Amino acid sequence: MVSGDFYYYLATLPTPGELGSAPPVSPTQLLELVAGQRVLRQSLEVLFLRDDLLQRESFLAGELTEVRPVVLTPAQARNEAPLPVYLARKADDRPTRTVPVDDLWERYYRQATSVARESRGAFLAAWVGREVAVRNALVAARAERLGLEAKDYLVAADLADAEEEPSDLISEWASAQDPLAGTRVLIRAEWAWVARHAGWFTFNLDEIVAYAAQLILLERWQRLAAAIPAEAGASSR
């Protein structure tokens, strides 16, 4: 865990509400606040990048009509411009995955792990481990449903937290009445995980990164609410 006093930043930031409330600040505003802290900013950017890539996938699949990335440019999020070098496939690299986008996620998780190591941030490292474990468990469940080999769709399996056991979460996700409800199941579970691992009142880098994770989850929940107008403003019930 990184030592150091980040009290000023944490005292400046408004407290997030419950899941379903509006984010108290935007990710961009948070990045502007910590602009002078290079290592902290990198940690926040790699966390926000995951949401940018999810928006990119949804846009390319026709599920979103507009994107609001934080780290990527709008053109990059719409696949109209090359991705950053650390995410882009090198010219002499051949795709190694059945689904090409899985190569992108492999590069993303390894980049996130590299940033966590440089910052010595325990929260970001644990978040990557959990994220990979849950993602691969979801992939395995989908593959089983479709009669496919799950191993062909796993990414960065060596980075997964071996102690993370998402079977109950996967069962709840699989029982959801539709994909949006399933996504809400996943967001609620991640929100609870962040609350357990945030290290509140430690005033260190990890606590600010956890705060950023909450902002992204609040924004994702808002996007889901916007996708179902009748449910806009719904709480986290």
Side-chain angles (χ1 to χ4, degrees), residues 6 41 44 53 61 78 82 95 97 113 116 125 128 160 164 171 178 182 193:
F6 290 90
R41 184 181 175 92
L44 299 185
L53 293 175
R78 294 192 296 265
R97 304 287 176 180
T113 297
V128 172
E164 186 71 31
S171 295
D178 55 55
W193 184 92

Side-chain angles (χ1 to χ4, degrees), residues 202-220:
T202 54
F203 306 113
N204 59 22
L205 180 144
D206 284 342
E207 188 171 355
I208 301 181
V209 178
Y211 183 97
Q214 285 190 318
L215 289 185
I216 285 295
L217 293 172
L218 290 174
E219 290 218 339
R220 290 186 65 199

Side-chain angles (χ1 to χ4, degrees), residues 108-230:
Y108 166 73
Y109 289 126
R110 298 204 179 279
Q111 173 67 13
T113 297
S114 176
V115 171
R117 286 173 179 163
E118 180 183 355
S119 69
R120 292 178 292 148
F123 177 88
L124 182 58
W127 179 86
V128 172
R130 182 211 180 254
E131 169 69 13
V132 173
V134 171
R135 184 191 191 281
N136 284 343
L138 288 168
V139 165
R142 291 190 183 108
E144 182 178 4
R145 184 182 299 174
L146 297 172
L148 302 172
E149 285 287 340
K151 63 181 179 61
D152 295 334
Y153 304 91
L154 303 181
V155 302
D158 58 303
L159 301 181
D161 183 352
E163 297 183 3
E164 186 71 31
E165 180 45 67
S167 57
D168 290 344
L169 172 60
I170 301 306
S171 295
E172 186 180 357
W173 166 81
S175 300
Q177 60 185 2
D178 55 55
L180 287 177
T183 300
R184 282 181 165 168
V185 167
L186 300 177
I187 293 175
R188 279 194 293 264
E190 187 173 349
W191 180 269
W193 184 92
V194 170
R196 293 195 303 271
H197 294 80
W200 304 127
F201 304 111
T202 54
F203 306 113
N204 59 22
L205 180 144
D206 284 342
E207 188 171 355
I208 301 181
V209 178
Y211 183 97
Q214 285 190 318
L215 289 185
I216 285 295
L217 293 172
L218 290 174
E219 290 218 339
R220 290 186 65 199
W221 194 276
Q222 291 286 309
R223 288 202 298 270
L224 286 179
I228 312 175

Side-chain angles (χ1 to χ4, degrees), residues 5-19:
D5 189 359
F6 290 90
Y7 177 83
Y8 165 76
Y9 300 104
L10 290 162
T12 301
L13 293 167
T15 303
E18 295 299 320
L19 189 58

